[in-house]
Amino acid sequence: MAGADARLDAAGVSLWLTDWKVDGGGAWSGRRVMALVGGSYAGHLDVYVHPDGEAVDVAGLEVSPDYRNRHLASVMMDALYAAYPTAWINHGGRGPEGTVWWDRYTEPAPERNVHNRPPAEWAYYFDPLTVAAQKARNAYQNRYNGVHGHKEAVYRYGESMETEARQYAADFHEPDVQGPDPGLDELYGGMRLILPPGLHRIVHDSSRDAAERAGLVLDHIGHGSLPHHAPWSTTEHSAFEDLVHEEVFETAPRQPVTHMTFRVLPLADRELPLHDVKATWVHFVDSPGIEVQLAGMSWRSPQRPWVTHSAVFDPPVDAAISPAYPKDAGPAYRARYSEIGDLLPGQTPHRAEEASPYAGREAEIRAMADRLQQSIARRATDRPAAASGQPEPADHHAHQQHPQQQTPRIR
């Protein structure tokens, strides 16, 4: 930190660097520095991070009205610099409030601010023409608001940058999105549940079988009700993070909530449903009801996040991601589930068939059977016939019971 934290009064401030799931950003991952004061939301700083982690683009900074003028914005910005200690940072264009705040802020590493350095050093990450426009806007805001704005550090402050920006524009490289593939990757989605009190107690009772408790939850929400609106990520941790993120912004009266995540197997060997690939997650676009193999569930209470309950389904259970709009449900979904995701009468939950241990071994098994048949035939040929008159082997009676040891007959 650059000292901003030392000026913040003792109000129980905590900072949390978490995912920021938004549609923008392309291949750049959305990240958010969340500020909590006494456990309540106080502000956030949103950024996009380049896939290699060496460039950060600031998208927005906000402090809740109840927590302004307490240096909280500076604390969050200091935390961003600390979280990415070697990255280029583009602060973008500032509005009136941001301009006044920036004038008071002491930047921890001005040498990593792209506005302070020539485009030859950072043009691979940021479009020089865009940065030139942002610098012009900031210069105007400084004059309009009558502030200094650290202009002595800004590269060629107040000068025209168009020619130099065009010179290096070709160096800019927009990375391709390399996000999860639903056909190859296991995916995790989550939902926040308010369960009936009795079911809530059972679900969080560690003395009971985890698979049994997971089945009760699945029956309660419906096997066809896996969340279509959730961002489906490649890790359980990310799915839980999304749920906590929702919880922070919750304004409804507090009730016992359960954070539930679902692990689904890759949607292999089928036509993939329409989906939008992000940097670290997948969104299913207008889901018609997507059949999946549910391989496991995990859940926890936000009041006790260190206690996580998990159930593994082996073999997996048939389930479905719910339709975005019930009227648009596909025929396969309508044949099995109701509009609210419950199994229709006559439909029962079932698990995928376990792979047979004999699958793919047909030739080996046939060859073994042939050898057994040949062995049986050979022994039959070699055995002496009963009518041949040959004496029985000398030890023929060696293993017969003595008359007194024979089992008595019941007459």
Side-chain angles (χ1 to χ4, degrees):
M1 298 286 183
D5 56 333
R7 300 192 303 273
L8 190 68
D9 55 15
V13 178
S14 60
L15 298 178
W16 178 32
L17 180 62
T18 182
D19 283 346
W20 175 44
K21 300 287 177 62
V22 291
D23 287 335
W28 294 55
S29 303
R31 301 289 282 168
R32 168 170 281 177
V33 178
M34 184 88 76
L36 304 174
V37 176
S40 299
Y41 167 76
H44 65 266
L45 168 61
D46 294 338
V47 300
Y48 295 107
V49 180
H50 190 275
D52 68 8
E54 292 302 313
V56 176
D57 198 8
V58 176
L61 174 61
E62 178 182 293
V63 175
S64 180
D66 293 340
Y67 299 98
R68 291 177 183 171
N69 300 316
R70 295 164 69 175
H71 308 290
L72 193 56
S74 299
V75 170
M76 289 190 288
M77 189 61 73
D78 283 359
L80 177 69
Y81 273 86
Y84 299 97
T86 61
W88 287 107
I89 297 182
N90 178 22
H91 290 273
R94 290 183 282 274
E97 290 185 351
T99 299
V100 174
W101 166 77
W102 181 260
D103 186 61
R104 300 194 304 261
Y105 177 60
T106 301
E107 192 175 8
E111 71 280 2
R112 292 197 281 121
N113 183 339
V114 298
H115 291 209
N116 299 340
R117 304 298 302 172
E121 298 179 5
W122 46 259
Y124 176 82
Y125 293 108
F126 301 101
D127 181 1
L129 290 168
T130 300
V131 174
Q134 293 168 345
K135 291 174 63 174
R137 175 184 175 181
N138 293 341
Y140 169 79
Q141 288 288 347
N142 287 341
R143 291 193 299 270
Y144 183 82
N145 289 278
V147 298
H148 184 268
H150 309 296
K151 63 183 182 182
E152 74 283 349
V154 178
Y155 176 68
R156 292 177 58 178
Y157 183 81
E159 299 181 23
S160 176
M161 292 283 296
E162 287 82 356
T163 301
E164 187 173 14
R166 281 194 293 268
Q167 177 185 351
Y168 290 99
D171 293 348
F172 173 59
H173 174 73
E174 187 68 67
D176 295 328
V177 178
Q178 300 291 333
D181 184 346
L184 299 175
D185 298 320
E186 290 186 350
L187 297 176
Y188 295 81
M191 63 167 56
R192 295 166 60 245
L193 297 171
I194 298 177
L195 300 171
L199 181 56
H200 183 90
R201 286 193 297 272
I202 293 173
V203 166
H204 291 275
D205 183 356
S206 299
S207 66
R208 302 180 68 120
D209 179 71
E212 176 192 5
R213 289 180 283 150
L216 291 174
V217 174
L218 204 53
D219 289 337
H220 175 73
I221 65 173
H223 285 67
S225 295
L226 272 58
H228 68 84
H229 60 277
W232 287 84
S233 306
T234 53
T235 67
E236 180 181 87
H237 175 78
S238 183
F240 271 125
E241 266 198 328
D242 295 336
L243 300 177
V244 176
H245 200 157
E246 290 182 26
E247 192 80 15
V248 169
F249 287 97
E250 181 61 60
T251 58
R254 294 280 181 175
Q255 298 185 60
V257 176
T258 297
H259 291 178
M260 180 73 61
T261 66
F262 306 90
R263 175 168 67 97
V264 301
L265 298 182
L267 304 177
D269 303 325
R270 72 179 77 177
E271 183 178 351
L272 290 178
L274 186 62
H275 62 281
D276 192 5
V277 179
K278 307 299 182 182
T280 59
W281 52 286
V282 170
H283 169 63
F284 290 106
V285 181
D286 295 337
S287 164
I290 304 166
E291 296 181 52
V292 297
Q293 295 294 306
L294 180 60
M297 296 167 58
S298 295
W299 61 96
R300 61 177 62 152
S301 164
Q303 286 72 42
R304 302 180 66 199
W306 55 88
V307 179
T308 301
H309 309 261
S310 296
V312 176
F313 302 140
D314 186 17
V317 176
D318 283 349
I321 296 173
S322 65
Y325 308 100
K327 63 181 180 63
D328 295 333
Y333 185 90
R334 288 198 303 268
R336 184 161 169 76
Y337 303 102
S338 70
E339 287 189 358
I340 61 174
D342 288 336
L343 289 164
L344 293 172
Q347 298 287 336
T348 57
H350 54 271
R351 299 187 176 216
E353 294 183 2
E354 293 187 80
S356 169
Y358 308 111
R361 300 176 58 196
E362 291 81 1
E364 176 188 350
I365 294 171
R366 189 176 299 109
M368 183 182 297
D370 290 343
R371 289 196 299 272
L372 289 172
Q373 291 291 346
Q374 294 170 5
S375 178
I376 292 171
R378 186 168 55 253
R379 287 198 300 271
T381 303
D382 295 342
R383 185 183 301 122
S388 64
Q390 296 179 354
E392 293 181 353
D395 61 346
H396 177 73
H397 299 287
H399 299 291
Q400 290 186 352
Q401 291 180 317
H402 188 275
Q404 294 180 353
Q405 296 174 332
Q406 292 181 3
T407 304
R409 297 180 180 179
I410 300 176
R411 299 178 185 273

